[in-house]
Amino acid sequence: MRILRVAALAAGGLLLMGQVVPAQAHGGSSYRWELTPTGTTAQFRGLAAVSKDVAWVGGTGGTVLRTVDGGKHWQNVSPAGAEALQFRDVEAFDARRAVALTIGNGEDSRVYRTADGGKTWSETFRNTDANAFYDCIAFNDDKHGLALSDPVDGKFRIAATSDGGKSWKVQPTGGMPAALAGEFAFAASGTCLVAGHGRTAWFATGGGDRPRVFRTVDGGRRWTVADSPMASGEAAGIFSLAFRNSLFGVAVGGDFLKPTEAVKAASVTYDGGRTWKLVPADKAPKGYRSGSHFVPWSPTTVVAVGPSGSDVSFDGGRSWKQFYDGSFDSVECAGHGSQAGCWASGAKGAVGRLVH
């Protein structure tokens, strides 16, 4: 999205390092963020959770950090020569392998890959079309992934990889529905594009006269699209998607110029994104939200974050409760059993691990 490319979503309050923020209780369990010192003031919109111990973040100033001890220590593993770029999405397969996307017009949109924990990086994709602007990346598995660009010549553009990000190929647009006037995706949290099982993926939009959700089941060659009842406009739309499985998903967003207002800010789907039901304002997140993710330890629990707070839904997105009033931009969960964990990241070097 051109508006928030550089500065419009840079707002966010300072989070005190090491602070544990009290949470509301629900059914005997509580949620709170345990904030971890990163030693930087970069804004981290790129986030990849691997487990409760391992996570990667990417942000402004070409900054990429990695932790392997639950956030006690963060290692600066930034790619050399990327200081002028902004990392907006990171996808990590484990503690050693990760793929990171920088955003911007033309050649500022790039993909980097590491296989040694960030000691070395390879630039594996550089956008050469001045009209393209890549917003998000997502992987179905450790081989197959997609990258999403805003519309070029009236259609959203997809680049695909089948070798874990070592190489990328821009896909033909014959199977892509036409974009609406003013339609774009939001490079706010790395979750405007998400991948599911097999070759399924979804991406969400705003900016036009209505937000929409696009869906593919063949790895990005052909797409279908559905209208959403959520807010849309110059600064509004769907900012984040989260799917539990091929049918059950949530969308969050709103208007980033109205961060404390829930302006048609959430919806749910039970048919894989073919139709969406709006969450009423009195049950929606308490403001604009830029990131969302299902937690690994509950089939119906979702966490959403934004500059004015964090919310949790215990019923699959139908109703939300705020548990934190500070600022985060991104949230992601991963892992299984005792290794499951959720992380959030945002402005001024803020990274938190979810305690529940």
Side-chain angles (χ1 to χ4, degrees):
M1 174 213 171
R2 311 293 175 181
I3 296 173
L4 76 87
R5 299 289 193 228
V6 179
L9 277 177
L14 177 64
L15 300 174
L16 300 178
M17 299 306 178
Q19 177 184 358
V20 176
V21 184
Q24 296 177 352
H26 178 91
S29 63
S30 63
Y31 279 66
R32 65 187 188 274
W33 291 114
E34 183 178 69
L35 305 178
T36 69
T38 61
T40 178
T41 58
Q43 182 163 17
F44 294 122
R45 294 188 182 277
L47 170 64
V50 175
S51 68
K52 69 178 181 62
D53 294 321
V54 179
W56 303 64
V57 291
T60 54
T63 307
V64 179
L65 307 182
R66 183 192 70 148
T67 183
V68 295
D69 59 8
K72 295 177 182 177
H73 304 90
W74 288 90
Q75 179 185 10
N76 189 332
V77 295
S78 305
E83 296 80 9
L85 302 173
Q86 295 189 44
F87 284 98
R88 288 289 182 94
D89 200 356
V90 182
E91 300 290 322
F93 309 113
D94 50 40
R96 297 182 59 81
R97 298 176 298 150
V99 177
L101 171 74
T102 65
I103 58 96
N105 292 313
E107 293 192 2
D108 283 347
S109 286
R110 307 178 192 179
V111 176
Y112 292 80
R113 180 183 182 273
T114 183
D116 57 11
K119 293 178 182 178
T120 60
W121 293 83
S122 299
E123 180 186 311
T124 60
F125 175 78
R126 182 180 297 206
N127 170 48
T128 57
D129 189 328
N131 296 313
F133 188 113
Y134 285 82
D135 298 288
C136 300
I137 55 175
F139 279 80
N140 299 101
D141 50 44
D142 62 1
K143 296 294 185 183
H144 299 92
L146 302 175
L148 170 69
S149 167
D150 285 338
V152 177
D153 297 328
K155 291 187 176 183
F156 285 91
R157 175 172 289 183
I158 296 291
T161 180
S162 59
D163 55 14
K166 295 178 183 177
S167 63
W168 296 81
K169 183 178 180 180
V170 175
Q171 301 298 292
T173 58
M176 179 69 71
L180 302 174
E183 191 176 21
F184 47 71
F186 291 93
S189 66
T191 51
C192 63
L193 168 70
V194 296
H197 294 296
R199 306 302 303 279
T200 302
W202 301 262
F203 70 84
T205 72
D209 61 10
R210 60 194 184 276
R212 302 196 294 173
V213 178
F214 291 68
R215 177 175 180 263
T216 183
V217 295
D218 62 5
R221 291 188 294 273
R222 294 181 297 272
W223 297 80
T224 57
V225 63
D227 292 346
S228 165
M230 289 172 58
S232 190
E234 185 180 13
I238 300 172
F239 283 71
S240 176
L241 295 171
F243 277 82
R244 169 58 77 193
N245 53 41
S246 61
L247 297 177
F248 177 26
V250 303
V252 300
D255 189 328
F256 78 74
L257 295 180
K258 302 175 181 178
T260 61
E261 298 181 23
V263 184
K264 296 183 178 180
S267 60
V268 296
T269 182
Y270 302 103
D271 57 11
R274 296 173 180 86
T275 61
W276 293 84
K277 182 178 180 180
L278 186 68
V279 177
D282 61 340
K283 295 183 178 181
K286 300 306 179 185
Y288 148 71
R289 297 295 180 254
S290 54
S292 62
H293 213 280
F294 279 89
V295 305
W297 50 84
S298 167
T300 59
T301 300
V302 197
V303 176
V305 301
S308 64
S310 301
D311 305 86
V312 61
S313 171
F314 296 98
D315 58 9
R318 294 192 299 272
S319 63
W320 298 79
K321 297 290 185 181
Q322 185 168 335
F323 67 92
Y324 175 53
D325 60 5
S327 175
F328 281 120
D329 297 311
S330 305
V331 60
E332 187 168 318
C333 306
H336 303 282
S338 62
Q339 290 300 307
C342 291
W343 298 81
S345 63
K348 301 178 182 177
V351 178
R353 191 177 68 168
L354 190 65
V355 178
H356 66 100

